[in-house]
Amino acid sequence: MTWNGHDPDFLGVRVPLPLPTDGRPTRELLYPRFTVLLDPERRFAVATAVDIDGASLLDLPRRGDWALDDRVSDDEQAGSAVYSANDLDRGHLVRRRDPGWGTEAQAREATAATFFYTNAAPQAAGFNQSKDLWVGLEDHVLAYADATDQRVSVFTAPVLEPGDPPYRGILIPRRFWKIAAWATTKPGGEAALVAAGFVLDQSELISGATVAPLSGFRTFQVPVADIAEVAGVELGPLVEADVLAVESSAREHRWRELDSATQIRL
């Protein structure tokens, strides 16, 4: 398989890889069906993009060992030392199952590639493992693609803020963002882009690597425009394609806190 990364034309409507708005140096790393845009100073991704074909999605057993990507230097990646002897998980940004479609061989190669540390960020154990929270949100998006045979592109990354808590030479991200995008057909047959944005907050779960009660975790469906502002990334056509009708300019009224995946508006 060619490691050709995210295809901006995968949905039939062009959706380019999000880029940081401050012009910071990045490393664009191509994997099978997904791309990681690495911030070498923070040692985490500033953006990722994966293409999912629900019509040919396979459910393969978990297989893969975490490893550094030798295309970038070791000191530009947060490796195993960050996750040793603490309550931090190696949280997949591009989820293992998402690029796992096509032939079995293609799917196996793509899912194995998600185990590079460039595709990980530290997440409090309860944050990453809870089916009702982070994994539940991803399952909901993936189930939608599978059930409708829909093509979906998903964009995910930590919010890399200078005030994030320091730990073992890195800063632990307190928040993560995710945008799911797909295309619908207008009455005239023209494809129209649709997008839904989310922010997941583990601020109250971490203090260094100390994990607080899970009640501190919060999940929001938010305007895509707010993600662009908070994360400092250019989201192009995803902003206008947002499913949320924003009726108030006050952020506290625009961010819809979610208690379960059933509250997601797609």
Side-chain angles (χ1 to χ4, degrees):
M1 179 188 293
T2 302
W3 287 29
N4 52 5
H6 161 63
D7 177 4
D9 298 309
F10 181 73
L11 301 178
V13 181
R14 190 165 184 82
V15 187
L17 178 72
L19 299 175
T21 54
D22 60 4
R24 75 183 70 179
T26 56
R27 309 279 188 265
E28 185 174 341
L29 301 170
L30 305 184
Y31 300 94
R33 301 180 178 133
F34 69 96
T35 297
V36 172
L37 191 65
L38 182 70
D39 180 336
E41 183 175 346
R42 282 296 300 265
R43 300 166 67 186
F44 298 120
V46 67
T48 68
V50 59
D51 300 323
I52 307 168
D53 185 354
S56 59
L57 197 63
L58 301 180
D59 187 8
L60 299 176
R62 183 183 178 93
R63 220 180 256 181
D65 296 316
W66 287 99
L68 295 172
D69 190 323
D70 60 13
R71 294 176 294 177
V72 293
S73 63
D74 292 359
D75 62 4
E76 293 183 349
Q77 309 171 64
S80 60
V82 171
Y83 305 94
S84 175
N86 55 36
D87 289 324
L88 295 176
D89 281 348
R90 300 168 178 85
H92 277 80
L93 297 174
V94 172
R95 192 182 177 208
R96 177 187 64 85
R97 283 196 63 202
D98 286 357
W101 49 272
T103 68
E104 184 172 335
Q106 290 172 333
R108 288 194 184 283
E109 182 180 30
T111 57
T114 65
F115 284 90
F116 283 107
Y117 277 109
T118 50
N119 184 45
Q123 296 169 355
F127 171 93
N128 188 38
Q129 294 170 5
S130 173
K131 293 293 184 182
D132 294 328
L133 301 175
W134 177 251
V135 176
L137 171 58
E138 295 190 334
D139 280 343
H140 188 79
V141 173
L142 197 62
Y144 175 78
D146 197 7
T148 61
D149 290 344
Q150 182 81 273
R151 285 190 165 201
V152 179
S153 291
V154 178
F155 307 88
T156 309
V159 178
L160 302 179
E161 299 175 289
D164 289 335
Y167 181 69
R168 295 184 181 178
I170 56 96
L171 300 178
I172 301 177
R174 294 171 295 175
R175 295 187 289 180
F176 294 78
W177 60 269
K178 182 184 297 290
I179 300 170
W182 61 98
T184 60
T185 304
K186 295 181 179 179
E190 183 183 357
L193 185 67
V194 183
F198 307 91
V199 168
L200 302 102
D201 193 328
Q202 64 173 0
S203 299
E204 296 181 25
L205 291 174
I206 57 172
S207 174
T210 303
V211 178
L214 189 57
S215 59
F217 179 89
R218 304 181 74 187
T219 308
F220 302 85
Q221 183 166 2
V222 309
V224 173
D226 284 7
I227 293 177
E229 178 184 347
V230 167
V233 290
E234 173 57 53
L235 296 174
L238 294 169
V239 174
E240 293 186 1
D242 194 353
V243 298
L244 285 186
V246 179
E247 299 175 352
S248 169
S249 60
R251 175 168 297 164
E252 58 268 25
H253 298 302
R254 297 165 66 178
W255 288 38
R256 302 176 60 250
E257 187 163 5
L258 305 176
D259 295 318
S260 71
T262 59
Q263 296 175 315
I264 296 171
R265 288 175 56 182
L266 298 180

